[in-house]
Amino acid sequence: MTADRHALLCHPDAEPPAGVGVAASATRTADGGLQLDYRLRGDLSGLILPTAETVLPSERLWAYTCLEAFVAAAGDVAYREFNFAPNGQWHRFAFSAYRQGVTPPPAPAPQRDLVRDADGLRLGVRLAAAALPAGPLQVGLTAVLLDRAGRHSYWALRH
């Protein structure tokens, strides 16, 4: 994993919000944690971005605008899913296989740094080693964007 930020691609079956781009990166930290960085660029006024006053159902953050990480030990079918909403809420799942055997693993809350600026939004998240599987990791970075018309667009490095 490198610190290079990679452009995420909108799923071909979804209409991407006009003028919006998504990029993300993941870097393993010296203490075994994981630093995630997401960037939404462009005119975000057409998106629903929950504010700190908005309370969403934490186990359904993926149904709203959220940034996600899927993390597995290299070669393992079990994985952890982390969802991060722009309002500061987050949730984690642990699956024994693809969408099976879900349990929330005990883990410390991530450190988060959210910045909104003229170019868009940047979210930095640091996951502690205790929140991650042991050993080398496979990481998938994705985003779900909900626009004001109620349409979702799904973003990933590949689909």
Side-chain angles (χ1 to χ4, degrees):
M1 287 176 280
T2 71
D4 294 338
R5 193 173 286 147
H6 302 280
L8 301 185
L9 305 172
C10 185
H11 192 280
D13 292 341
E15 183 178 333
V20 173
V22 183
S25 67
T27 306
R28 197 75 189 254
T29 60
D31 63 0
L34 193 61
Q35 177 66 43
L36 308 172
D37 288 293
Y38 300 90
R39 181 78 173 150
L40 302 181
R41 290 192 181 217
D43 180 6
L44 305 184
S45 65
L47 299 179
I48 297 176
L49 297 172
T51 64
E53 295 78 31
T54 307
V55 178
L56 302 171
S58 64
E59 70 284 349
R60 290 186 46 83
L61 294 180
W62 49 265
Y64 303 89
T65 295
C66 84
L67 305 165
E68 304 173 318
F70 296 84
V71 182
D76 197 347
V77 296
Y79 65 97
R80 297 182 189 177
E81 176 182 340
F82 298 89
N83 302 153
F84 309 104
N87 67 353
Q89 285 182 259
W90 72 283
H91 193 76
R92 66 186 175 276
F93 300 94
F95 294 95
S96 59
Y98 183 68
R99 295 188 181 176
Q100 295 179 11
V102 65
T103 58
Q111 296 175 0
R112 298 169 37 99
D113 177 35
L114 178 69
V115 176
R116 293 183 194 221
D117 57 28
D119 293 332
L121 178 148
R122 186 190 70 76
L123 175 66
V125 178
R126 184 179 168 106
L127 297 171
L132 305 169
L137 299 177
Q138 294 175 303
V139 178
L141 301 174
T142 65
V144 178
L145 304 183
L146 177 61
D147 71 18
R148 296 199 177 275
R151 296 177 301 228
H152 288 92
S153 57
Y154 304 95
W155 300 72
L157 288 171
R158 65 176 189 212
H159 294 280

